[in-house]
Amino acid sequence: MATGKVMVEKVGGRSTATSCFSKYPLKFLLPTKAAPAGTDVVWIYSITYGGGIVSGDSISCEFTIGDGCTAVITTQSSTKVYKAIGSKCSKQILEARIGSESLLVVIPDPVTCFSTARYYQKQIFRLVSDSNLVLVDWITSGRHANGEKWDFEFYKSINNVYLEDDYPLFLDTVLLEKRSIQSIAERMQDYHTIAMVILFGSKLKEIQKQVQENVKKMMSEQLQISYGGRSRRQNSVSSSPNRFMKPEFIASCSTFGHEGKGVVIRIASDSTESVYNFLRQQLAVLQPLLGQAPYAC
């Protein structure tokens, strides 16, 4: 049985949550003031009791976004995954159906896994040809104040997007697992946050173009800085090896789906705040649709 369910439908010409259910350890908040007057959107805050997911917890959510509706699923803080007890794995499953001409925006804060934590997440989105989806999925390296850096045992995040008749549109899996040969921290090097952003649908066509242009410009500048830093080191220390300075922030864009209707942005950064800043800047154009800009607070 699902831990939580929300259905959003048109009532009196407005997007309205007609059904909302949740049980421990999950809670949904649907504040009416989240959507300012003049906007047609339902904001859904997903909260776990105690501010995190306890070892062995299993959360299953179902969302149905009716035709012509707009909904936002977000959180109030990072999703904390507490230390594992033995081999127990915390799990979170989300399945969403997005109707015709509808927009679903999933913009959570990042997942933060504590030392030894084990976490599995699967998110499935079922669309029709004219549905629209914004999805942010990201993870930090852990609790820096406690000296933890990629110190968890296991993290797996699956994001699958399907069109009608279960036609696979976008299938993605991120797996980070401790190994005896090389730790997660060694593989991630100096990066502390990784993220993925999906933009799909005709309503997002202009933002897709703008984000791709912004990422291209940003990375051109980053690579010039990195190359310049290398050149300066070579001039100052002639015997130093020919090494490339890793950019502090890396982003890439690619298209998917028929006629490139979807765009995926992948990010790696040495700080969580720089990813927050990137998301604020790139998604700010959604404000007219959502009533407020994503990650504004």
Side-chain angles (χ1 to χ4, degrees):
M1 182 179 178
T3 314
K5 288 184 179 183
V6 178
M7 179 174 287
V8 178
E9 299 174 285
K10 282 287 188 181
V11 177
R14 294 186 58 82
S15 299
T16 306
T18 57
S19 175
C20 180
F21 159 80
S22 61
K23 66 177 183 178
Y24 182 86
L26 181 67
K27 183 178 181 180
F28 291 136
L29 295 179
L30 282 72
T32 56
K33 292 184 179 180
T39 57
D40 180 25
V41 58
V42 174
W43 281 74
I44 305 165
Y45 287 83
S46 178
I47 301 169
T48 52
Y49 285 89
I53 303 176
V54 178
S55 177
D57 273 355
S58 182
I59 297 173
S60 176
C61 306
E62 297 176 10
F63 299 91
T64 302
I65 313 303
D67 294 349
C69 294
T70 299
V72 179
I73 302 172
T74 187
T75 54
Q76 291 185 321
S77 62
S78 65
T79 298
K80 301 170 184 66
V81 183
Y82 297 124
K83 293 185 176 184
I85 299 175
S87 60
K88 289 183 178 180
C89 185
S90 303
K91 298 180 180 180
Q92 188 159 228
I93 311 296
L94 181 154
E95 183 164 356
R97 295 182 179 274
I98 309 171
S100 174
E101 291 292 328
S102 296
L103 169 63
L104 175 61
V105 179
V106 184
I107 45 172
D109 293 287
V111 171
T112 297
C113 292
F114 286 23
S115 174
T116 75
R118 299 177 62 84
Y119 181 67
Y120 172 89
Q121 171 185 283
K122 186 173 184 179
Q123 301 186 127
I124 300 173
F125 302 90
R126 302 190 186 279
L127 286 61
V128 295
S129 59
D130 58 353
S131 300
N132 301 271
L133 172 66
V134 176
L135 168 65
V136 178
D137 185 32
W138 53 323
I139 180 175
T140 73
S141 60
R143 299 181 297 172
H144 298 176
N146 291 51
E148 297 175 5
K149 177 184 175 184
W150 304 113
D151 200 30
F152 49 85
E153 295 285 339
F154 176 87
Y155 169 89
K156 188 172 185 178
S157 178
I158 300 171
N159 287 286
N160 292 345
V161 182
Y162 298 93
L163 287 177
E164 297 100 326
D165 302 321
D166 284 337
Y167 178 83
L169 178 67
F170 181 88
L171 308 177
D172 184 84
T173 299
V174 173
L175 174 62
L176 297 172
E177 186 174 13
K178 269 193 175 180
R179 298 175 183 172
S180 57
I181 298 176
Q182 191 178 41
S183 68
I184 300 173
E186 289 173 322
R187 280 175 274 153
M188 297 304 295
Q189 299 185 36
D190 296 324
Y191 295 108
H192 286 279
T193 306
I194 56 172
M196 179 184 73
V197 183
I198 291 176
L199 304 169
F200 179 84
S202 57
K203 288 186 178 181
L204 305 169
K205 190 173 181 179
E206 291 306 314
I207 181 177
Q208 289 175 345
K209 290 180 181 178
Q210 190 61 54
V211 169
Q212 289 180 88
E213 291 175 3
N214 292 344
V215 168
K216 182 178 180 180
K217 180 180 179 182
M218 180 186 303
M219 289 314 303
S220 176
E221 294 172 352
Q222 282 276 0
L223 293 175
Q224 286 178 6
I225 292 171
S226 298
Y227 182 82
R230 183 187 70 174
S231 300
R232 287 192 294 273
R233 290 200 307 274
Q234 288 178 329
N235 291 334
S236 60
V237 184
S238 58
S239 60
S240 63
N242 185 8
R243 297 181 62 189
F244 181 77
M245 182 187 295
K246 293 192 300 293
E248 297 176 350
F249 185 98
I250 297 176
S252 67
C253 284
S254 58
T255 60
F256 64 90
H258 182 62
E259 298 181 346
K261 198 174 180 179
V263 170
V264 57
I265 305 103
R266 300 185 188 276
I267 302 161
S269 175
D270 66 357
S271 76
T272 304
E273 189 55 38
S274 64
V275 180
Y276 268 119
N277 289 336
F278 175 86
L279 294 172
R280 291 186 190 108
Q281 293 167 4
Q282 305 308 317
L283 301 181
V285 294
L286 291 173
Q287 182 172 356
L289 293 171
L290 308 182
Q292 58 180 297
Y295 301 108
C297 299

